[in-house]
Amino acid sequence: QVHLVESGGGSVQAGRSLRLSCAVSGFTYGGYGSCVAWFRQAPGKEREPLAHIRGDDATYQDFIRGRFTISRDDDSNTVHLQMADLKPEDTAVYTCAAGWCSSGSWCFPRGCYEYNYWGQGTQVNVTA
């Protein structure tokens, strides 16, 4: 059974950093056949994709490039999202998802993917 569990959310002041973690179990990821991504959903808005990692290839949406970094730690089966220079508009529930890199509706600059497994999310609040 696949489980994705996010952690690392919280309340921070604008300009500070946070590192979110997504612990993955029951899903064999690594190499080019598996994909893990981070999403967020702000109050009253639709869920939006942020960053995606396939093997060692990371892709970012333009609006977060340079501030957010996605990375894998294969020793702990964890995917991180390092967020820097946070802004109040970054306030949202952040969720990770995993899949087999099949074509789908969640689009990044270099492709659109389907994600089969989702975590419950972690709340990030950024105050001015």
Side-chain angles (χ1 to χ4, degrees):
Q1 195 169 5
V2 178
H3 291 286
L4 287 79
V5 179
E6 302 92 341
S7 61
S11 294
V12 295
Q13 289 186 319
R16 304 298 291 269
S17 299
L18 272 179
R19 188 175 82 155
L20 305 182
S21 298
C22 173
V24 182
S25 61
F27 177 79
T28 303
Y29 81 106
Y32 213 63
S34 58
C35 294
V36 180
W38 280 97
F39 297 76
R40 72 183 179 190
Q41 187 169 17
K45 295 187 176 181
E46 294 187 350
R47 178 177 283 169
E48 59 183 357
L50 301 175
H52 159 97
I53 189 163
R54 181 177 187 178
D56 293 324
D57 185 19
T59 308
Y60 302 91
Q61 301 291 20
D62 288 343
F63 60 84
I64 60 156
R65 187 176 291 117
R67 291 197 302 127
F68 291 11
T69 304
I70 189 171
S71 62
R72 285 171 39 197
D73 181 343
D74 291 344
D75 289 339
S76 62
N77 288 349
T78 303
V79 176
H80 300 288
L81 185 68
Q82 179 70 45
M83 306 186 294
D85 189 24
L86 284 162
K87 307 175 187 302
E89 52 265 39
D90 294 318
T91 294
V93 175
Y94 286 71
T95 304
C96 62
W100 305 111
C101 309
S102 55
S103 295
S105 58
W106 297 106
C107 293
F108 294 88
R110 292 202 295 269
C112 297
Y113 303 96
E114 177 184 5
Y115 296 91
N116 307 94
Y117 309 103
W118 295 80
Q120 293 298 309
T122 185
Q123 178 72 47
V124 172
N125 294 315
V126 184
T127 57

